[in-house]
Amino acid sequence: MGSTQRGRWVGLMAGLAVGALTLSACGGSNGGGGDGGSTVGELDPDLATAGMSTEGIVDGGEVKILITQGIFSLDPARMQTPNFGSQGGFLQAIYDTLFYVDSDTNTVMGSIGDTLEATDETCGAWDMTLKDGVEFTDGTPLDAAAVEAHWLRLQDPEVASPQATKLEGVTFDVVDDLSMTITLPEANCDFDRTISTGLGFVPSPTAVEAAGEDYGEDPVGAGPFTFDSWNRSANELNLVKNDSFHTEGEPHLDKLSFITASNTATVVDSLIAGEYQLADNGWTPTAVDDALAGDLGVQLRRPNGGFSLQFNQQKPPFDKVCARRAFAHALDPEAITAAMSQSELMSAPLKTLFTEDSEFYAEDIAFPGYDLEAAAEEVQECEDQDNPLTFSITASPGTDQTTAEYLASRLNEVEGFDVTVDVITYEEAYTTIFQNRDFNINAYPGGQRFYDPAPLFVDWLHSAGATNITSYASDEMDELIQKAQTTPGEEERIAAWQDVARLWVEDVPTYAYMENRQYFLFDKDLAGIYPVNDAQNLLLTQSLGYTTLD
């Protein structure tokens, strides 16, 4: 398997071991909202790697996976976020991926792809090779021409793909069936990571051409599973084993299903009851505690970043930095955590953007702290700019709604704020937030987690970022990101990305207030749960399997 080794190991596993906690022997959640949460036991580094091993896996069985976002398209050109619990999970299962970022080594590795190397130290062009013999399930070769066809489609303005910005100005030269040279409009030493996080789900060009605008109804990929059925009203997607998958002995499972949870409060109970076998982040404040108490498997990690709110800078009041900084100064992360968290396993007040275990850590990289005097000054500045702080917080039912209602209540106690809450369903979130940008500030998708800044900082903070739902645009930020992407030396690269982070917390296009643990909850007989692609929780579903079958 080819790889691109960058020497950018950022203390991931050390940080995971420090950040992974476990319950004391009594188990369960005994905490309520206002007292700071439940009591926890000693550190347990084993939780950081629980369920990852593939030892003892047997073939067969079915896994039903609960996800948080409604299933609206199976076309990778329509993908907004590649996280496992939104779109990335089922897209990887259908299409596999060209490359991914390995969680243990922070290194770009190939799945369908073989090698991906910058042609020289300037990183202005990249050579990519593919594995020989990979085919889509319709018999079309997955060759360099197929990858080019997909990327040209992403670039097509009529397709309007959210991933198009990652390929803006990029050109492709197909050298032979398995080789391609990629030329960038600007140098980018992290471009291999960009390909790994959103550009690697390649559909059959034959199927795309035949279906036209309707492609995605009956998808054709080269992934470990193939399309079986899609119940749109129930938000349930059923996939079956691809017997011609390119890696011998995989996948292990016979069937894989993705179901959008209709009630977050019942997710853990449904897993304990055996109705479903796997779920990742996004459920209840005590999900990990309750899962451990219910004898489920739990994998728990501590990434950088945290639960965050996204400010819409296309309209008042958050098109002005005074409004964003007033918001941040008016809220106390300690109080939010004490009120909202029922588990110290799951959360802690966010003190700095990077954890102390990260190579990118710096004490000064933190969002504006709780300071009512500073908040009053920012409120006054907004009033001087005829920018009253009257707005709504958009949230989905469950934890996001509870958080939004609490934040609104606290802000309304501060002079100058007039805050309401607008509740939308998970199914409405894509159209309302991602497409129409019809919000002032939103608590969905809930958090910004990461281990390495690239390429997620680009997606979030660059004016043309693929998932920049805040519409934040800063020439200074774009220049800092470009510098960070073109800095090859390790120490210099860290310093460059720290400068990006400092401007982030100064301009506050998003506001993070509480650490956001990364976790999977699963049937204890399930194995091969190996998260890749930084903190996006993406799984290589071909590795999933049971160690014992009933």
Side-chain angles (χ1 to χ4, degrees):
M1 177 178 294
S3 66
T4 304
Q5 176 62 54
R6 309 291 277 275
R8 293 178 180 172
W9 173 234
V10 292
L12 171 61
M13 296 309 292
L16 299 183
V18 171
L21 305 174
T22 190
L23 293 172
S24 56
C26 63
S29 171
N30 57 11
D35 62 358
S38 59
T39 302
V40 298
E42 62 184 21
L43 296 172
D44 183 359
D46 289 341
L47 279 182
T49 58
M52 289 176 62
S53 173
T54 58
E55 184 176 355
I57 285 180
V58 297
D59 289 339
E62 173 184 357
V63 167
K64 293 183 177 181
I65 299 172
L66 284 170
I67 59 176
T68 56
Q69 192 178 91
I71 303 169
F72 64 89
S73 176
L74 308 182
D75 182 353
R78 309 297 177 193
M79 182 185 68
Q80 182 71 46
T81 55
N83 295 346
F84 182 78
S86 51
Q87 296 153 274
F90 56 78
L91 291 178
Q92 188 283 329
I94 295 170
Y95 300 101
D96 196 11
T97 185
L98 295 175
F99 296 90
Y100 62 91
V101 182
D102 183 84
S103 295
D104 279 349
T105 62
N106 200 27
T107 300
V108 174
M109 305 292 290
S111 187
I112 294 170
D114 188 24
T115 63
L116 183 58
E117 303 281 353
T119 57
D120 57 44
E121 63 182 10
T122 67
C123 305
W126 292 73
D127 288 332
M128 180 181 73
T129 64
L130 305 175
K131 289 180 178 177
D132 192 10
V134 179
E135 291 186 347
F136 297 101
T137 54
D138 63 0
T140 303
L142 202 169
D143 55 14
V147 176
E148 180 189 38
H150 176 52
W151 287 350
L152 288 173
R153 181 169 176 253
L154 295 184
Q155 290 179 326
D156 185 348
E158 293 188 5
V159 175
S161 172
Q163 302 301 310
T165 57
K166 297 179 179 179
L167 293 172
E168 186 173 354
V170 179
T171 59
F172 320 105
D173 179 18
V174 174
V175 178
D176 55 39
D177 287 349
L178 300 178
S179 304
M180 174 192 291
T181 297
I182 307 162
T183 303
L184 312 182
E186 297 179 333
N188 182 355
C189 294
D190 292 316
F191 188 69
D192 53 346
R193 292 170 178 271
T194 300
I195 290 177
S196 300
T197 52
L199 300 179
F201 306 133
V202 180
S204 164
T206 304
V208 171
E209 184 177 0
E213 293 183 0
D214 293 329
Y215 180 76
E217 299 297 306
D218 188 9
V220 179
F225 297 90
T226 64
F227 178 76
D228 182 41
S229 64
W230 179 11
N231 185 332
R232 288 165 176 76
S233 61
N235 263 303
E236 179 173 334
L237 173 66
N238 297 306
L239 309 175
V240 294
K241 181 177 183 176
N242 177 7
D243 291 321
S244 61
F245 185 60
H246 61 80
T247 301
E248 187 176 354
E250 294 181 336
H252 304 289
L253 298 170
D254 291 331
K255 185 175 180 180
L256 194 64
S257 298
F258 292 84
I259 302 100
T260 303
S262 58
N263 184 350
T264 60
T266 63
V267 164
V268 176
D269 287 341
S270 297
L271 289 166
I272 292 172
E275 298 172 24
Y276 307 95
Q277 289 75 47
L278 179 66
D280 75 334
N281 284 73
W283 309 112
T284 66
T286 60
V288 167
D289 307 68
D290 297 339
L292 287 168
D295 201 33
L296 289 174
V298 173
Q299 183 183 113
L300 181 65
R301 301 172 173 225
R302 184 195 182 200
N304 299 309
F307 288 102
S308 64
L309 297 141
Q310 329 298 319
F311 299 106
N312 186 352
Q313 287 151 77
Q314 288 187 335
K315 59 183 180 180
F318 295 116
D319 56 338
K320 302 289 193 301
V321 69
C322 61
R324 305 193 300 267
R325 292 185 65 84
F327 185 102
H329 280 308
L331 292 170
D332 180 5
E334 295 275 357
I336 297 172
T337 303
M340 302 307 302
S341 174
Q342 299 174 39
S343 165
E344 292 179 26
L345 279 167
M346 297 284 284
S347 54
L350 188 74
K351 299 185 183 299
T352 55
L353 185 60
F354 300 103
T355 70
E356 62 276 8
D357 304 296
S358 171
E359 286 189 5
F360 297 91
Y361 172 80
E363 188 176 0
D364 66 306
I365 303 178
F367 288 98
Y370 178 55
D371 185 336
L372 290 180
E373 289 186 6
E377 292 175 3
E378 299 288 359
V379 168
Q380 184 60 55
E381 182 174 340
C382 280
E383 290 179 353
D384 293 342
Q385 297 180 42
D386 193 24
N387 189 50
L389 298 184
T390 301
F391 57 88
S392 63
I393 303 174
T394 299
S396 296
T399 303
D400 283 351
Q401 178 181 347
T402 302
T403 301
E405 290 171 347
Y406 172 78
L407 296 179
S409 69
R410 296 305 297 260
L411 289 167
N412 284 329
E413 294 175 358
V414 179
E415 186 173 354
F417 284 88
D418 183 5
V419 187
T420 56
V421 174
D422 182 20
V423 180
I424 61 174
T425 66
Y426 282 112
E427 290 75 17
E428 294 171 322
Y430 178 78
T431 301
T432 301
I433 295 172
F434 293 114
Q435 287 189 323
N436 298 339
R437 307 293 167 95
D438 185 17
F439 66 94
N440 296 126
I441 180 173
N442 82 80
Y444 183 88
Q448 291 172 301
R449 302 188 307 270
F450 61 95
Y451 293 107
D452 193 283
L456 297 177
F457 278 28
V458 185
D459 289 347
W460 297 333
L461 302 171
H462 194 280
S463 59
T467 52
N468 180 0
I469 63 173
T470 68
S471 299
Y472 170 67
S474 162
D475 290 341
E476 182 182 1
M477 177 62 81
D478 289 354
E479 290 171 3
L480 288 174
I481 287 174
Q482 175 64 14
K483 178 182 177 182
Q485 289 185 311
T486 55
T487 302
E490 182 63 15
E491 291 186 8
E492 294 81 3
R493 176 181 185 268
I494 290 172
W497 281 116
Q498 286 176 326
D499 287 342
V500 172
R502 287 189 177 93
L503 185 57
W504 177 3
V505 299
E506 180 182 339
D507 282 358
V508 205
T510 69
Y511 169 65
Y513 54 92
M514 189 165 65
E515 291 187 13
N516 186 355
R517 303 291 192 256
Q518 174 188 358
Y519 66 85
F520 281 101
L521 313 178
F522 51 93
D523 184 304
K524 273 194 169 180
D525 290 332
L526 192 62
I529 303 165
Y530 191 95
V532 300
N533 280 11
D534 206 81
Q536 293 181 324
N537 264 24
L538 190 68
L539 295 180
L540 301 181
T541 55
Q542 57 264 38
S543 299
L544 292 175
Y546 291 102
T547 55
T548 182
L549 291 173
D550 294 334

